[in-house]
């Protein structure tokens, strides 16, 4: 843990704020199963598909017309590093869902490069999930998922798919990449839902 001397009170607060088994990261680690898959914004598109509702697609230019949020959030990786008070700019999924039939209980998130992760729809609505395109006031770098990634800070960070390109809304839950490889299906850091049998 890197803590500057003289910030004793702050360190105490931060220690209390960490979910069980987590420590503060020094810097912003990069965790990817393979190389970056950052799509140029000229060809980037984001789609939401549903069994009955067809598919709704936004180009980068259309996305950039939508209202944005400034988000300050703590993030927690299942490999035990956390960062507190990270700042992002993104579009709430609530905004994208205004135009979509969202009467489905599950979503599978898709990324450029083939990564997937699954979430219940209730975790994507109500101001809990964003398509983030800036970190710390700057465009999201390729290694951190640029031009845009999912940001779902209340769950372990593997749910925050980098290089995101869309969502499939589903009637039955379908595990994503890490969920098929032994990670917990839901991933609540406060309950230490790291592995399938936690
Ligand atoms: N497309 C994609 N998204 C991904 C991953 C990945 O391998 N590919 N790794 C996940 C994991 S395990 C973590 S902890 C975070 C890491 O994000 P970072 O590299 O920006 O720290 O991205 C998540 N999103
Ligand atoms: Mo992770």
């Amino acid at each position: 843990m890197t803590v500057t001397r003289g910030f004793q009170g702050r360190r105490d607060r931060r220690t209390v704020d960490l979910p069980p088994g987590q420590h503060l990261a020094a810097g912003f680690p990069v965790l990817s199963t393979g190389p970056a898959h950052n799509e140029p914004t000229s060809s980037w598109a984001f789609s939401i598909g549903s069994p009955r509702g067809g598919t709704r697609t936004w180009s980068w230019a259309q996305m950039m017309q939508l209202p944005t949020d400034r988000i300050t959030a703590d993030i927690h990786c299942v490999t035990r590093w956390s960062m507190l008070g990270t700042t992002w700019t993104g579009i709430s999924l609530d905004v994208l869902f205004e135009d979509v039939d969202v009467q489905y209980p599950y979503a599978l998130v898709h990324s450029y490069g083939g990564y997937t992760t699954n979430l219940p729809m209730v975790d994507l609505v109500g101001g809990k999930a964003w398509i983030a395109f800036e970190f710390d006031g700057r465009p999201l770098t390729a290694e951190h998922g640029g031009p845009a990634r999912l940001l779902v800070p209340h769950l372990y960070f593997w749910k925050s798919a980098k290089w995101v390109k869309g969502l499939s809304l589903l009637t039955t839950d379908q595990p994503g990449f890490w969920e098929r490889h032994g990670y917990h299906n839901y991933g609540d850091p406060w309950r230490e839902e790291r592995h399938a049998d936690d």
Side-chain angles (χ1 to χ4, degrees):
M1 183 184 317
T2 309
V3 181
T4 311
R5 277 177 179 278
F7 288 87
Q8 197 75 30
R10 188 132 189 225
R11 177 178 61 184
D12 290 347
R13 187 189 69 77
R14 289 183 162 216
T15 304
V16 168
D17 285 348
L18 284 175
Q22 297 294 114
H23 61 261
L24 286 181
F28 192 177
V30 174
L31 273 96
S32 310
T33 58
H37 292 281
N38 59 313
E39 184 76 8
T41 54
S42 53
S43 50
W44 185 94
F46 184 86
S47 298
I48 300 178
S50 57
R52 289 187 303 274
T55 301
R56 175 83 164 81
T57 300
W58 293 262
S59 68
W60 184 263
Q62 290 168 331
M63 232 354 139
M64 291 301 111
Q65 298 301 307
L66 299 175
T68 57
D69 288 340
R70 296 299 307 269
I71 306 121
T72 300
D74 304 341
I75 57 177
H76 311 291
C77 174
V78 72
T79 64
R80 299 181 182 274
W81 58 264
S82 292
M83 292 173 74
L84 301 185
T86 59
T87 56
W88 307 78
T89 309
I91 295 148
S92 170
L93 286 192
D94 295 316
V95 172
L96 303 181
F97 287 152
E98 279 171 17
D99 263 1
V100 173
D101 173 14
V102 290
Q103 300 309 307
Y104 297 92
Y106 302 103
L108 186 65
V109 184
H110 303 271
S111 292
Y112 289 100
Y115 184 84
T116 55
T117 188
N118 58 311
L119 301 99
M121 276 297 277
V122 290
D123 289 275
L124 293 177
V125 301
K128 294 195 289 290
W130 295 266
I131 304 299
F133 55 90
E134 284 180 6
F135 172 80
D136 209 9
R138 294 191 191 84
L140 199 56
T141 59
E143 59 184 3
H144 288 299
R149 75 182 297 162
L150 190 66
L151 176 66
V152 193
H154 72 285
L155 298 176
Y156 279 127
F157 211 37
W158 87 78
K159 299 285 183 180
S160 293
K162 302 195 281 189
W163 314 297
V164 71
K165 72 168 187 181
L167 303 177
S168 300
L169 308 188
L170 303 169
T171 51
T172 55
D173 198 9
Q174 201 177 303
F177 176 80
W178 281 119
E179 295 83 3
R180 285 195 308 272
H181 287 86
Y183 280 15
H184 196 277
N185 195 55
Y186 183 61
D188 181 348
W190 296 96
R191 301 171 66 122
E192 284 210 83
E193 293 174 344
R194 298 176 193 277
H195 303 108
D197 52 2
D198 286 341

